Amino acid sequence: MATYNKKDFLRHADSVIPPDFKRQGNEAYYTKRETDRELRFYFGEDVYYPHSVTIDGLSVNVSIDIVENVLDEVFEQYPIAGYGSGKNGDTIGGGGYNIPGVDYQSLGRHNVEDDASFAIIKPQLELIVQGGLQFFEDYKSLQAIHDHVATLPIRKMGTFLRQPMPARRMIVKKLIDAPDYQDYAQYVVDYNLAKEEPSPGIFFKALKDKLDGM
């Protein structure tokens, strides 16, 4: 039986990502740097080396410098208990979901073990990449992000605008001078100050203080 290892998977992954995206090290994680944001593709895979992988899709995310810089600065001083904060996190995501023509269930069940088996799913992966590129284009501005969030039910907001969603939403509202920024920010602060665990309230109060001073 032929072997299928990580180098084979990375070769296949490279073949569907646009060449202006750079693979980060030895992982199927690709980024493209723009002036004020970073575009990101992540492959979702289960590995069965040295035999095969299954690929259930790609995550399509964007890190927006000004949003993440504000969030990171406040998190560093006022961390939320039990909530990890990575530097330069994803601001928005979900651009790899619900792409027309992609059968996500069959995609995730398909074993890739050689070039021929990868060729079967490559067109679907290319559809996801094309959908991701459109996602990057659709949400180039903070205003477009703000307006899209406003159309979503609460349970879906945190899939698009990454958690802690209320923090990122506060920042976006402030940066675009949304007329409801103060009301929204105060609601988030009051809600979190009422919690038994004090760290969320302390964090959101510090975030609002910072935003108010900008």
Side-chain angles (χ1 to χ4, degrees):
M1 177 183 291
T3 61
Y4 186 93
N5 289 308
K6 190 167 190 176
K7 64 179 178 58
D8 302 299
F9 168 58
L10 292 175
R11 176 171 56 84
H12 285 150
D14 289 350
S15 73
V16 300
I17 300 295
D20 52 344
F21 282 75
K22 180 180 179 181
R23 173 153 49 87
Q24 301 302 302
N26 201 34
E27 300 299 329
Y29 166 38
Y30 301 80
T31 66
K32 178 181 176 180
R33 185 70 214 169
E34 295 187 338
T35 303
D36 57 359
R37 65 179 190 161
E38 186 173 84
L39 315 181
R40 299 169 172 174
F41 282 114
Y42 307 80
F43 275 80
E45 77 277 2
D46 290 316
V47 301
Y48 306 98
Y49 303 142
H51 305 299
S52 65
V53 299
T54 58
I55 303 170
D56 56 20
L58 292 93
S59 296
V60 179
N61 303 325
V62 181
S63 179
I64 300 170
D65 295 351
I66 191 168
V67 174
E68 298 308 308
N69 288 344
V70 171
L71 189 63
D72 289 344
E73 182 179 330
V74 180
F75 254 134
E76 189 172 337
Q77 297 181 65
Y78 304 99
I80 298 177
Y83 200 101
S85 172
K87 292 285 187 181
N88 304 313
D90 297 326
T91 308
I92 61 171
Y97 306 146
N98 302 316
I99 305 297
V102 178
D103 184 343
Y104 291 90
Q105 286 191 339
S106 66
L107 186 63
R109 292 195 299 263
H110 181 79
N111 282 310
V112 175
E113 54 192 16
D114 53 25
D115 290 350
S117 55
F118 178 72
I120 294 171
I121 64 167
K122 185 175 180 180
Q124 294 200 69
L125 297 175
E126 290 173 334
L127 284 175
I128 297 175
V129 169
Q130 289 304 310
L133 295 175
Q134 187 61 54
F135 179 85
F136 297 146
E137 183 66 26
D138 289 344
Y139 302 110
K140 291 182 77 169
S141 72
L142 291 176
Q143 187 68 55
I145 291 169
H146 173 271
D147 293 349
H148 181 62
V149 172
T151 71
L152 298 174
I154 295 258
R155 61 186 178 84
K156 290 189 175 181
M157 288 181 180
T159 301
F160 174 69
L161 193 60
R162 294 317 212 194
Q163 298 289 359
M165 182 276 293
R168 288 186 167 93
R169 196 177 186 197
M170 281 173 62
I171 296 168
V172 170
K173 283 181 177 293
K174 174 63 177 180
L175 293 173
I176 67 165
D177 293 323
D180 64 340
Y181 159 72
Q182 280 292 345
D183 287 344
Y184 178 76
Q186 193 60 55
Y187 165 78
V188 171
V189 170
D190 291 345
Y191 176 83
N192 282 279
L193 284 173
K195 292 181 177 179
E196 183 175 350
E197 162 58 47
S199 63
I202 293 170
F203 166 78
F204 281 103
K205 175 65 166 59
L207 177 60
K208 184 177 183 298
D209 288 346
K210 178 172 180 58
L211 294 172
D212 288 350
M214 291 174 60

